[in-house]
Amino acid sequence: DAGVIQSPRHEVTEMGQEVTLRCKPISGHDYLFWYRQTMMRGLELLIYFNNNVPIDDSGMPEDRFSAKMPNASFSTLKIQPSEPRDSAVYFCASTETGSSGYTFGSGTRLTVV
Amino acid sequence: GENVEQHPSTLSVQEGDSAVIKCTYSDSASNYFPWYKQELGKGPQLIIDIRSNVGEKKDQRIAVTLNKTAKHFSLHITETQPEDSAVYFCAASPINSGYSTLTFGKGTMLLVSP
């Protein structure tokens, strides 16, 4: 298994632009999580899905952030419009019912200038 | 909700020494405590975990201890090697009949010098 796959690995964009981050979970995993990692706040849960349905989006910082999971093998996290304070590493992780451990992707390093 | 505190934020040791990282949690309902290792440019990777029905678990040079009364748990690495250098995260979750998400500590940067 290739693990959790995220793209792009790095993204540099200008303030005000739309940014879309992508994630492919491990096949068979029914939970998918989006985390944001910064030096100041550590790993923050933004949203998670179960069987493609958003369960808890209370961690999404504001309406500029949205996430979708149109099918079991793909999810997106969109920021529109982006701001410099959104600069962080964004991780996607997945797991399956009955398992406790998460498998993380390699992350997307987002820089908004 | 759950709050996890992790100390120290940075830890420098000499190769061959032991390293200990400590975490405290606030939610008495938490019963699952994993540890993740994050190497530079990679995502966190699960290295060991413990459930509340045991007080200690070992896997080669790595061990985790849990004190539910005091609400703290620790990661112990013996005979450290340079490849142990990474950021380590503790986490806690009240795993029950449903599903609960992990709350992570802020991380400890471990540097092992040759």
Side-chain angles (χ1 to χ4, degrees):
Chain A
D1 196 323
V4 176
I5 300 173
Q6 291 187 247
S7 64
R9 288 297 311 274
H10 303 274
E11 177 80 37
V12 180
T13 190
E14 292 185 347
M15 182 174 62
Q17 296 297 307
E18 177 180 295
V19 175
T20 300
L21 312 181
R22 298 172 175 80
C23 175
K24 176 179 169 54
I26 290 175
S27 177
H29 281 191
D30 53 349
Y31 284 89
L32 183 140
F33 307 85
W34 281 101
Y35 279 87
R36 179 171 66 179
Q37 184 176 41
T38 60
M39 288 294 293
M40 290 297 295
R41 302 171 73 90
L43 277 164
E44 300 176 275
L45 176 65
L46 300 177
I47 185 172
Y48 80 95
F49 296 83
N50 177 225
N51 291 322
N52 314 337
V53 177
I55 303 300
D56 185 356
D57 65 354
S58 59
M60 297 285 261
E62 45 197 276
D63 292 345
R64 298 185 297 107
F65 286 69
S66 62
K68 295 182 179 179
M69 192 165 185
N71 57 62
S73 60
F74 184 66
S75 177
T76 59
L77 178 67
K78 185 178 293 186
I79 308 172
Q80 165 64 19
S82 58
E83 298 182 2
R85 59 193 168 117
D86 302 330
S87 298
V89 181
Y90 291 80
F91 287 103
C92 175
S94 69
T95 192
E96 59 184 331
T97 299
S99 172
S100 306
Y102 294 6
T103 300
F104 282 83
S106 296
T108 295
R109 180 174 294 277
L110 173 65
T111 302
V112 183
V113 298
Chain B
E2 176 64 275
N3 182 50
V4 177
E5 299 285 338
Q6 183 171 348
H7 300 280
S9 56
T10 59
L11 179 59
S12 295
V13 300
Q14 291 291 121
E15 182 176 0
D17 289 349
S18 295
V20 180
I21 302 170
K22 299 181 180 181
C23 289
T24 60
Y25 61 98
S26 61
D27 189 348
S28 57
S30 286
N31 56 7
Y32 174 66
F33 308 93
W35 286 87
Y36 286 77
K37 175 183 181 182
Q38 185 178 21
E39 297 177 329
L40 195 62
K42 298 183 179 180
Q45 181 179 14
L46 179 67
I47 56 172
I48 194 168
D49 56 14
I50 191 169
R51 294 182 183 270
S52 59
N53 57 344
V54 297
E56 183 175 3
K57 184 177 180 180
K58 289 184 179 179
D59 183 2
Q60 300 182 345
R61 296 185 297 107
I62 294 174
V64 57
T65 58
L66 171 66
N67 183 327
K68 284 220 71 176
T69 302
K71 294 197 186 72
H72 67 71
F73 56 112
S74 300
L75 178 70
H76 304 253
I77 306 174
T78 59
E79 300 173 25
T80 54
Q81 301 167 3
E83 52 264 39
D84 293 330
S85 296
V87 179
Y88 291 81
F89 293 93
C90 62
S93 176
I95 298 292
N96 48 36
S97 58
Y99 191 88
S100 298
T101 58
L102 294 173
T103 300
F104 286 87
K106 291 284 181 66
T108 297
M109 180 176 291
L110 174 64
L111 177 61
V112 181
S113 303

